[in-house]
Amino acid sequence: METSPGPHRFTRREARYGKKSTIRPSEKKSAKETNVEDKPVSPSVQRNLLYGEALYTVIHRIGMSEPNYISDNDQLYEYLQMAFNMDPAEHQAIFESIKVLEPPIICVKVTVKQAKGILGKDVSGFSDPYCMLGIEKRSISRDSSPNRDKKQKQKAVVRNTLPEDQTYKTQVKAQTLNPVWNETFIMEVDDIQHARFQMDMWDSDDVESVRAKLGELTDLHGLKRIFKDARKDKGQDDFLGNIVLRLRDLKCKDDRWYHLEPRTETYPDRGQCHLQFLLTHKKRATMLSRNPSNIVHRQLLQQFVRHEITCHQATGTTWDGEIGPHGTTILYLHSSQKDLSEFHQGLAQWLAYSKLYQSLEFSSSCLLHHITSIEYLWVQGRLQDEQKNELAESFDSLLQYGVSLLQRYRIVFPLSEARSAERLQGLLRILIQMCKTKAFRELCSSTPNLQDRVTEAIKTGTREWFDLKRQHLQPMIQGYEENFKALITLVVDITLDLKNCHKTLNKFFFNTIKVDLFSLTFQELEDLISEQLVCQLPPPSHSSRRQLSELLYQLYLSLRDLHRLQDHLPTRNGSLPLDNFHQKFADCLPSWLQKAYSTALERVQRAVRIDLVRCFRKDPN
């Protein structure tokens, strides 16, 4: 859809996107000179600016399509409309305003990494190789003949084809057949459809005395080399091979080995050279182009993640952290065009996912992947102070959020839900992995130890959970009987909680962050129950009441079950609050014995009567 919008769409575009569709130079300049960060913008304007950035990325895509990415731009436009929840009129208005912007300057970023198996041109059998490279502009007519293309490829020589100010040169690597350069050059391209990349490899020939060359002589071939050198001009370099590529055949990111081509049939096998290409943009005309690239990239990523989660929620499924091929394609194009390094892409992904994790439901395994990427590529010096602060804040924010979830683990990760254990394990893993990274240790050195924070959170959370339980069970009518019933229920619930903790949850905490969850909660809950027991036990004069005596006996049995869980403590230092809890029920013992005697007597009498009835039925006489 590339039709010109009518007057009504022009007005809507001005209101929604904040940029006119006319292409007068003065207006283009003002758009490029406007930094969005200089003044606050509303969420709707920010959304439209980000949408325009994504459209500009797709409109001006460069390079051959990758196999796993979407090559059809129309499909990408449809995806963007859904991801940003744009109606067709909004999309068309912004699309028209973006399409008329000045196109970017295309650059080729090439890294000459290394070579192997090159020719040895010196008497020693080695060479002193260096590379000359540049971009050659070609007309359509010269590209029409395949045979001419092959011939030109073999005869191409950079120093004789390209102007000196458009030629780049690597360092000379002395006496080697497998040189390593790792040198990067950036070259602008006017017409990528017809331009060619050329690289020639040469053997540097410094003027050297015959005496020195004879000293290196090892065989007859070396002697022939001396005679050959003597016939050529002093200081003339030897050709080792070249590489000629059409830029339109490159992908956005290309990294491969290329065979060095000869100019003649002599020595056709001249080795290989490892080149890395990246097609980038310079001077993008969008309003967000002056903002930091990693921030814009992160905003795009966050928009796509929200869309993916919304789509999964609509189908009743949980998002697995993978963005679909359409969103992945746009992010890939944007990172390539903005020359966003692998580290800064990982940084943007971590900042986006760690923030969204605190508000949206998805697997924490996504965070594990991105924090691992940051750890693998971490070099503190490559970050500016603002980026360091942003990364440190993301660490602190996620740590606080994660610890708050662990403080409420009974509510957040209930064992009644099937995925609770998996979610809890994932959170623990990401916290411990994050705190182990070099980035966290360097940027958050003053942060308290993770184990200490989690330990304190568990204690605090256990007390809060206990208070909520106690308040919930508190009877409406106060009295000994009602209070004892509530206390018995509370002890039973606590015992069940500790059993689940020991059987299931404790191994997750201990295996990841080395925190003994069971020991912490057991000692904390025993202390709280002991305090309640002291407050609620009746005076001795009331213990003999039949109803109270029975409730006290049930309370005693439930406390005994609770205290027996001490057997699961790995170590025990000192006494526990309920070690001598049975002594508190000493005044109840006579009534319990009397009850036991009465119950036993009643059962014996009932058994005797049953036996007499059976005997009478067998022998009535």
Side-chain angles (χ1 to χ4, degrees):
M1 298 177 65
E2 297 186 0
T3 58
S4 299
H8 178 69
R9 286 186 177 177
F10 176 82
T11 304
R12 290 189 65 180
R13 178 167 64 257
E14 287 183 334
R16 293 183 180 276
Y17 190 67
K19 183 170 176 63
K20 296 182 179 180
S21 63
T22 54
I23 54 175
R24 292 194 297 270
S26 60
E27 293 187 355
K28 288 183 181 180
K29 183 177 180 180
S30 64
K32 290 186 288 184
E33 291 179 352
T34 301
N35 191 338
V36 180
E37 292 185 333
D38 292 342
K39 53 185 178 180
V41 295
S42 66
S44 61
V45 172
Q46 178 65 26
R47 162 180 169 266
N48 293 346
L49 291 175
L50 191 61
Y51 190 72
E53 178 76 13
L55 288 177
Y56 192 90
T57 298
V58 177
I59 292 171
H60 297 288
R61 68 185 300 176
I62 46 179
M64 296 288 290
S65 297
E66 294 280 359
N68 298 327
Y69 294 119
I70 303 299
S71 58
D72 187 348
N73 284 0
D74 289 335
Q75 293 186 30
L76 299 181
Y77 297 144
E78 292 177 6
Y79 172 81
L80 284 173
Q81 289 185 67
M82 293 186 294
F84 282 81
N85 194 25
M86 286 280 180
D87 61 51
E90 286 181 304
H91 164 75
Q92 185 64 23
I94 299 177
F95 180 83
E96 291 294 335
S97 66
I98 293 297
K99 190 177 63 173
V100 299
L101 292 179
E102 184 178 354
I105 297 174
I106 299 175
C107 297
V108 178
K109 182 179 181 180
V110 57
T111 300
V112 184
K113 300 180 77 67
Q114 59 182 315
K116 61 182 179 181
I118 65 174
L119 293 181
K121 289 288 188 174
D122 293 343
V123 176
S124 62
F126 294 97
S127 292
D128 302 318
Y130 68 92
C131 299
M132 298 185 68
L133 54 152
I135 301 296
E136 178 191 10
K137 302 176 183 178
R138 290 194 166 221
S139 64
I140 299 178
S141 61
R142 292 181 66 185
D143 289 340
S144 58
S145 174
N147 293 331
R148 181 179 179 84
D149 179 76
K150 182 177 180 181
K151 182 178 180 182
Q152 188 68 27
K153 184 175 181 179
Q154 293 175 343
K155 295 293 185 180
V157 177
V158 172
R159 60 168 41 132
N160 297 330
T161 306
L162 302 180
E164 186 175 352
D165 59 348
Q166 299 177 20
T167 302
Y168 303 84
K169 181 179 178 181
T170 69
Q171 295 180 351
V172 177
K173 298 298 179 180
Q175 293 297 289
T176 179
L177 301 181
N178 301 292
V180 177
W181 287 284
N182 284 322
E183 295 184 44
T184 300
F185 307 91
I186 299 178
M187 297 165 278
E188 294 185 5
V189 182
D190 295 329
D191 183 4
I192 195 170
Q193 291 298 319
H194 306 110
R196 294 175 183 269
F197 167 80
Q198 291 195 28
M199 190 201 80
D200 298 339
M201 190 178 297
W202 297 86
D203 170 42
S204 178
D205 186 37
D206 295 332
V207 178
E208 190 177 10
S209 66
V210 175
R211 182 184 299 272
K213 292 183 178 181
L214 290 174
E216 297 177 358
L217 185 62
T218 58
D219 54 19
L220 183 60
H221 177 77
L223 184 59
K224 293 179 180 179
R225 167 57 58 187
I226 292 179
F227 292 147
K228 183 177 180 180
D229 289 346
R231 291 195 300 269
K232 73 177 183 180
D233 296 335
K234 291 184 178 181
Q236 181 178 345
D237 297 341
D238 288 313
F239 180 79
L240 296 176
N242 71 344
I243 298 171
V244 180
L245 303 170
R246 295 186 304 184
L247 293 184
R248 68 188 183 196
D249 294 335
L250 294 176
K251 299 175 183 177
C252 290
K253 299 177 182 179
D254 237 324
D255 190 338
R256 66 176 74 176
W257 287 87
Y258 295 90
H259 288 281
L260 291 166
E261 299 291 342
R263 283 188 298 179
T264 64
E265 297 301 324
T266 308
Y267 304 116
D269 185 7
R270 292 176 174 257
Q272 296 176 287
C273 187
H274 187 186
L275 300 177
Q276 186 180 70
F277 292 96
L278 178 65
L279 304 181
T280 67
H281 285 177
K282 187 168 72 170
K283 295 184 178 180
R284 289 164 65 98
T286 59
M287 295 183 70
L288 290 183
S289 62
R290 298 185 64 180
N291 290 7
S293 300
N294 63 310
I295 293 179
V296 179
H297 190 77
R298 183 174 81 233
Q299 292 170 344
L300 274 176
L301 176 62
Q302 288 174 334
Q303 189 70 34
F304 295 160
V305 168
R306 291 191 187 98
H307 171 65
E308 295 288 345
I309 293 177
T310 301
C311 292
H312 279 78
Q313 288 175 343
T315 59
T317 58
T318 302
W319 185 53
D320 60 359
E322 293 294 331
I323 297 178
H326 297 82
T328 303
T329 300
I330 297 171
L331 291 171
Y332 170 77
L333 293 174
H334 187 262
S335 65
S336 303
Q337 294 170 11
K338 299 291 286 184
D339 192 11
L340 204 59
S341 69
E342 186 178 356
F343 173 77
H344 282 88
Q345 290 181 59
L347 177 63
Q349 291 165 347
W350 164 259
L351 293 174
Y353 278 71
S354 62
K355 181 178 180 180
L356 292 172
Y357 180 75
Q358 300 176 42
S359 58
L360 300 174
E361 176 70 23
F362 60 89
S363 174
S364 60
S365 60
C366 310
L367 295 174
L368 270 177
H369 173 74
H370 298 309
I371 194 62
T372 302
S373 175
I374 289 180
E375 172 70 358
Y376 179 71
L377 299 169
W378 171 252
V379 176
Q380 186 178 5
R382 73 175 70 185
L383 290 181
Q384 299 176 356
D385 290 340
E386 184 178 352
Q387 293 174 322
K388 291 178 185 178
N389 294 335
E390 193 174 25
L391 181 56
E393 288 175 3
S394 75
F395 287 152
D396 185 65
S397 176
L398 182 62
L399 183 58
Q400 290 188 27
Y401 175 74
V403 170
S404 71
L405 294 184
L406 296 179
Q407 183 171 320
R408 299 175 290 115
Y409 72 87
R410 296 174 177 86
I411 301 172
V412 180
F413 307 105
L415 293 180
S416 57
E417 294 184 6
R419 296 187 59 252
S420 289
E422 177 186 346
R423 291 169 52 233
L424 175 59
Q425 282 183 289
L427 175 61
L428 292 170
R429 287 196 188 104
I430 187 58
L431 290 180
I432 192 64
Q433 188 67 30
M434 179 183 72
C435 294
K436 283 182 177 179
T437 60
K438 295 189 291 289
F440 182 89
R441 295 197 304 269
E442 292 177 14
L443 300 180
C444 306
S445 57
S446 60
T447 302
N449 181 273
L450 176 62
Q451 284 80 1
D452 295 339
R453 294 189 66 166
V454 172
T455 297
E456 187 58 36
I458 290 172
K459 291 180 178 180
T460 303
T462 298
R463 290 191 294 269
E464 292 175 350
W465 175 78
F466 179 86
D467 289 338
L468 288 174
K469 271 284 184 182
R470 183 178 56 81
Q471 294 173 13
H472 176 71
L473 295 172
Q474 189 172 3
M476 297 293 293
I477 301 175
Q478 296 294 324
Y480 283 121
E481 293 183 9
E482 289 75 13
N483 289 340
F484 282 151
K485 289 178 181 178
L487 184 57
I488 292 169
T489 304
L490 180 60
V491 174
V492 171
D493 289 348
I494 288 174
T495 303
L496 179 61
D497 177 78
L498 288 171
K499 288 180 178 179
N500 289 334
C501 176
H502 172 259
K503 182 179 179 181
T504 305
L505 299 177
N506 190 60
K507 59 184 177 183
F508 300 151
F509 281 83
F510 191 78
N511 291 340
T512 52
I513 57 179
K514 305 304 178 185
V515 170
D516 190 345
L517 176 68
F518 174 76
S519 297
L520 290 174
T521 54
F522 179 82
Q523 296 180 47
E524 200 71 27
L525 289 172
E526 266 218 352
D527 188 56
L528 293 170
I529 283 293
S530 178
E531 293 175 2
Q532 290 296 309
L533 199 58
V534 172
C535 297
Q536 297 194 30
L537 277 181
S541 59
H542 292 68
S543 302
S544 58
R545 295 181 183 178
R546 179 179 177 183
Q547 187 65 25
L548 285 181
S549 179
E550 292 179 359
L551 290 174
L552 286 169
Y553 186 67
Q554 294 179 30
L555 178 59
Y556 168 80
L557 294 178
S558 60
L559 288 171
R560 185 188 63 181
D561 292 340
L562 170 62
H563 189 60
R564 281 178 176 176
L565 294 176
Q566 66 173 319
D567 296 338
H568 300 303
L569 294 175
T571 58
R572 177 173 170 177
N573 300 321
S575 60
L576 295 171
L578 293 180
D579 274 347
N580 299 313
F581 77 96
H582 59 278
Q583 295 179 0
K584 300 181 185 297
F585 296 88
D587 296 330
C588 303
L589 187 57
S591 61
W592 292 351
L593 293 175
Q594 182 62 40
K595 176 63 177 178
Y597 171 78
S598 301
T599 302
L601 180 60
E602 183 180 348
R603 289 178 179 176
V604 171
Q605 290 174 346
R606 187 183 302 115
V608 170
R609 288 196 297 268
I610 292 173
D611 287 343
L612 289 174
V613 171
R614 289 176 179 173
C615 292
F616 178 76
R617 288 177 179 176
K618 290 181 179 179
D619 187 6
N621 297 323

